[in-house]
Amino acid sequence: CAACLAWPLLDDDPTPLADTSLAVGQALADGLRTQPAMAPGERFLLTKCLLDHHGQQMDTLAVARLIALEQDKLRSQPPAPAVLAQWWFLVMSHHEYFGDTSAAVQARQRLQSLIDAHGLPDARFALLVGDMPLALKAGQLARAERIHRELEALMPEARAGFLPQGLRAQASFLAQRGDCAAALMRIDRLLAL
C-alpha cells in the first residue's frame, strides 16, 4: 500500500493510480491501526507515506486523525530518540504546510527538547536547513550567518542525504550576502554529490 501511495510522488503523472489511491490509503490506515507489532522505523516510514498522501489530498481531518493515532502509539511504545525526532519534525512540517502555526510551534518545541537532551545532529541539521530560508526572507542576516556557521560545523556529522539541502541553504545565504565565489563552491559540491 505504501509503495502505491509513494509511486505518484516519484513520477510526474499520478493518473495511473488515481482511481485506487483512496482505497489504498484506507487499507494502509487500517493496517497501521490494527498492526500489533511493528519496528518503529518501519512504522514511521509507512505513516509518512500516508501523511504525504493525505497532504496531497489536502485532507486535514485525515492528517489530524493519523497524527493522533500515531501519538497514542508513541506513548505506549516509545521509540529511540532519533526516530521520535523524525516524528516531531514530520508533524511540525505537516502543521506548517496546513498553516496550523500553534501546533507547528508545539511540535518544534518537542523536537528541540529531544535535540537538547540527546544531541541528534541530523535533527538539528534539518531544523537549521528549514530555518535558513525563513531568516533570509525576513532579512535576518545575522541569524542566517549563525545558521550558516552551525551548518558548517555539523556537515562532518550529517548523513549524506542531508548534505545537499545544507549546501543549498548555505549557498542561498552566501549569494544573498554577495559572496558569489563561496556560494558557487557550495553549489559545485552539491552537484558533485
Side-chain angles (χ1 to χ4, degrees), residues 2-186:
C4 287
L5 293 181
W7 184 258
L9 300 175
L10 303 174
D11 191 355
D12 290 337
D13 183 16
T15 45
L17 299 172
D19 295 339
T20 60
S21 69
L22 292 177
V24 171
Q26 187 58 53
L28 180 55
D30 293 343
L32 285 169
R33 207 172 18 261
T34 59
Q35 185 73 357
M38 190 182 297
E42 181 183 0
R43 184 168 195 90
F44 171 79
L45 182 62
L46 295 173
T47 301
K48 183 182 184 322
C49 285
L50 190 53
L51 279 173
D52 290 347
H53 167 70
H54 291 321
Q56 282 187 320
Q57 305 297 317
M58 298 302 287
D59 190 345
T60 56
L61 184 57
V63 167
R65 283 186 192 136
L66 184 55
I67 287 173
L69 170 72
E70 290 308 305
Q71 287 180 190
D72 283 345
K73 295 273 187 190
L74 290 173
R75 279 190 279 279
S76 64
Q77 301 169 329
V83 174
L84 198 54
Q86 286 180 318
W87 168 251
W88 287 115
F89 188 86
L90 180 65
V91 170
M92 178 189 75
S93 300
H94 273 274
H95 286 312
E96 285 173 349
Y97 180 76
F98 287 115
D100 190 346
T101 307
S102 64
V105 167
Q106 288 175 3
R108 184 186 176 101
Q109 288 169 344
R110 288 181 180 228
L111 175 57
Q112 189 63 56
S113 296
L114 283 166
I115 292 169
D116 293 344
H118 301 284
L120 305 175
D122 286 341
R124 179 71 186 140
F125 197 86
L127 266 183
L128 291 167
V129 165
D131 287 348
M132 180 65 87
L134 300 174
L136 292 175
K137 189 174 183 180
Q140 300 170 338
L141 291 182
R143 178 178 170 215
E145 173 75 37
R146 285 191 302 276
I147 293 168
H148 167 70
R149 283 196 310 268
E150 196 167 348
L151 283 172
E152 192 69 27
L154 288 171
M155 285 276 182
E157 298 177 59
R159 287 197 331 235
F162 286 116
L163 292 178
Q165 298 168 341
L167 291 167
R168 182 174 173 226
Q170 286 185 310
S172 297
F173 163 70
L174 291 165
Q176 188 159 338
R177 187 174 76 178
D179 193 347
C180 294
L184 285 172
M185 282 177 37
R186 298 309 192 287

